[in-house]
């Protein structure tokens, strides 16, 4: 009788085969995304409605002249984020090229709005595999990416957290500084390599072919920190379209977004950090407002979320067109129909399957 594999090995095998069938029910996906977005995002809207008289007294205005450059800048944040991931893959010995990295990172981006971001990770794994990157390397690159981007967010936000008016008198606010060396220590090749290989071994997977050097980790943290400057400029323009914010406070606006990003990582079960990210951003942003009004910051957070969504759609549309032209596109079942749905539509004469 053949001896059964250990449980963790079976889990590893299942993970290696995972992704052969994308989700089928478009209606269920849409209802899930809309329902969660309304539920989680609603409290910010209620705050704005409840305190609308206070917001009006702050002299709000809507200037499209500020909104347009804000939306135009935001896709570049995603371009540089995908470029950073391409650099991570190069450090791991599995380069796929700038174009394919943009497609693999960006095409499944809207799948983040499904709780847990599982489909987003799955889309990147499948596209990277088509480019010749093994699944274990792609997963390791995503772990590196999340850890490094979170560390850069802490670097950007630490000064702001320490000096936030709501946290004065709280000595624990200084503990945020301890997270930076702790994260770097975990990402040190002598720590991350053995740890990752041990986990892969438990799952019956081969060890990583490469790990990122400490110099590479620090360089990537610096790159991600600079990219927060791109996000800060775009978000400042969007916020400026709602109310006056001194340009000197642009770093406060960027730090507030970094705080929101970190909150989204902590609450990974929420779709794309909806609710948690925006509430944390509003809390941080109010320090940059002369009135310190959370209600006004909530309104700005709603407008920023809308502008970011438009920026995401522009970027995803561009990389999806690139991927389909080059034959790198996949069916995530989120931003376009799954393969089964397209075949059914073709049989009914509704459409033609895409490449």
């Amino acid at each position: 009788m053949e001896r059964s594999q250990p449980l963790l090995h079976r889990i590893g095998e299942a993970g290696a085969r995972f992704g052969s069938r994308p989700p089928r029910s478009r209606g269920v996906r849409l209802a899930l995304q809309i329902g969660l977005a309304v539920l989680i995002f609603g409290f910010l809207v209620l705050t704005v409605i409840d305190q609308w008289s206070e917001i009006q007294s702050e002299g709000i205005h809507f200037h499209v002249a500020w909104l347009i450059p804000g939306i135009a800048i935001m896709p570049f944040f995603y371009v540089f984020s995908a470029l950073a991931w391409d650099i991570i893959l190069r450090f791991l010995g599995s380069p796929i090229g700038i174009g394919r990295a943009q497609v693999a990172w960006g095409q499944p981006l809207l799948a983040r709005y499904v709780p847990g971001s599982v489909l987003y990770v799955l889309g990147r794994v499948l596209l990277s595999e088509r480019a010749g990157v093994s699944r274990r390397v792609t997963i390791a690159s995503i772990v590196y990416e999340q850890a490094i981007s979170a560390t850069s967010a802490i670097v950007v936000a630490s000064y702001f957290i320490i000096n936030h008016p709501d946290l004065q008198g709280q000595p624990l606010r200084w503990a945020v500084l301890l997270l930076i060396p702790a994260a770097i220590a975990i990402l040190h090749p002598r720590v991350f390599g053995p740890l990752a290989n041990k986990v892969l071994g438990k799952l019956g997977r081969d060890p990583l072919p490469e790990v990122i050097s400490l110099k590479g980790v620090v360089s990537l943290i610096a790159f991600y920190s600079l990219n927060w400057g791109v996000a800060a400029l775009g978000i400042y323009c969007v916020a400026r379209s709602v109310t006056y914010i001194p340009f000197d406070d642009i770093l406060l606006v960027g730090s507030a977004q970094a705080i929101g990003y970190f909150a989204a990582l902590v609450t990974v079960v929420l779709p794309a950090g909806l609710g948690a990210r925006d509430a944390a951003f509003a809390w941080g942003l109010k320090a940059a407002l002369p009135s310190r009004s959370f209600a006004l910051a909530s309104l700005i957070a709603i407008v920023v979320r809308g502008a970011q969504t438009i920026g995401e759609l522009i970027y995803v549309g561009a990389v999806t067109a690139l991927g389909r032209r080059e034959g790198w596109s996949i069916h995530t079942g989120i931003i376009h129909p799954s393969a089964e749905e397209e075949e059914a539509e073709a049989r009914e004469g509704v459409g033609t399957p895409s490449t």
Side-chain angles (χ1 to χ4, degrees):
M1 180 181 296
E2 183 180 354
R3 185 178 178 181
S4 61
Q5 290 182 318
L7 175 60
L8 290 178
H9 279 230
R10 294 200 297 273
I11 294 175
E13 291 291 341
R17 295 191 300 268
F18 187 60
S20 58
R21 288 180 177 270
R24 294 188 178 185
S25 176
R26 194 184 310 175
V28 171
R29 291 193 301 269
L30 185 61
L32 177 65
Q33 294 173 62
I34 292 177
L36 286 172
V38 170
L39 178 65
I40 300 170
F41 202 63
F43 85 98
L44 283 179
V45 177
L46 291 176
T47 299
V48 171
I49 294 174
D50 184 59
Q51 301 185 40
W52 181 248
S53 59
E54 174 190 332
I55 293 174
Q56 285 183 310
S57 68
E58 302 297 335
I60 63 169
H61 56 260
F62 290 97
H63 291 320
V64 177
W66 280 101
L67 188 61
I68 292 176
I71 294 176
I73 292 170
M74 286 184 177
F76 289 98
F77 173 76
Y78 302 115
V79 170
F80 292 129
S81 296
L83 177 60
W85 179 61
D86 178 49
I87 296 173
I88 291 174
L89 287 176
R90 291 175 186 273
F91 275 124
L92 295 176
S94 299
I96 62 175
I98 295 176
R100 289 196 176 191
Q102 294 290 333
V103 174
W105 191 93
Q107 193 207 339
L109 190 62
L110 298 184
R112 297 177 306 147
Y113 290 92
V114 173
S117 299
V118 175
L119 289 178
Y120 176 53
V121 173
L122 174 60
R124 289 174 65 177
V125 167
L126 294 179
L127 280 166
S128 300
E129 190 174 38
R130 289 188 179 185
V133 181
S134 67
R135 295 192 173 195
R136 72 183 191 279
V137 171
T138 302
I139 294 298
S141 72
I142 294 174
V143 172
Y144 266 120
E145 176 190 57
Q146 296 302 311
I148 293 172
S149 59
T151 303
S152 69
I154 295 171
V155 170
V156 172
S158 58
Y159 174 82
F160 182 67
I161 291 174
I162 291 171
N163 290 277
H164 195 284
D166 289 353
L167 297 178
Q168 297 307 303
Q170 296 291 334
L172 287 177
R173 72 187 189 279
W174 293 93
V176 68
L177 296 176
L178 299 176
L179 296 176
I180 300 173
I184 294 176
I186 293 174
L187 291 170
H188 193 286
R190 293 183 180 178
V191 176
F192 183 84
L195 182 62
N197 289 335
K198 183 176 181 180
V199 173
L200 288 169
K202 292 290 186 182
L203 295 173
R205 304 289 94 193
D206 294 331
L208 292 175
E210 299 284 347
V211 291
I212 301 179
S213 67
L214 181 60
K215 181 179 179 181
V217 168
V218 174
S219 299
L220 284 164
I221 291 174
F223 185 93
Y224 276 98
S225 298
L226 291 174
N227 198 23
W228 281 116
V230 177
L233 181 59
I235 292 170
Y236 173 82
C237 291
V238 175
R240 187 67 177 77
S241 72
V242 178
T243 190
Y244 174 75
I245 299 177
F247 186 77
D248 292 344
D249 288 335
I250 188 172
L251 293 181
L252 290 178
V253 175
S255 298
Q257 182 66 5
I259 292 171
Y261 173 81
F262 189 74
L265 285 180
V266 174
T267 56
V268 66
V269 69
L270 303 182
L274 279 174
R277 180 171 190 161
D278 303 296
F281 170 66
W283 171 79
L285 181 64
K286 74 174 186 176
L289 301 176
S291 64
R292 302 292 192 268
S293 170
F294 181 75
L296 180 56
S298 297
L299 175 62
I300 295 174
I302 293 172
V303 177
V304 167
R305 170 61 74 170
Q308 285 179 325
T309 300
I310 295 173
E312 287 180 359
L313 290 173
I314 293 172
Y315 174 69
V316 171
V319 297
T320 299
L322 173 64
R324 290 192 171 186
R325 187 186 69 183
E326 302 294 339
W328 303 333
S329 182
I330 65 166
H331 302 279
T332 61
I334 299 296
I335 58 176
H336 45 68
S338 67
E340 291 86 350
E341 291 169 339
E342 285 192 333
E343 289 175 2
E345 290 176 354
R347 287 195 297 269
E348 295 170 3
V350 175
T352 303
S354 61
T355 302

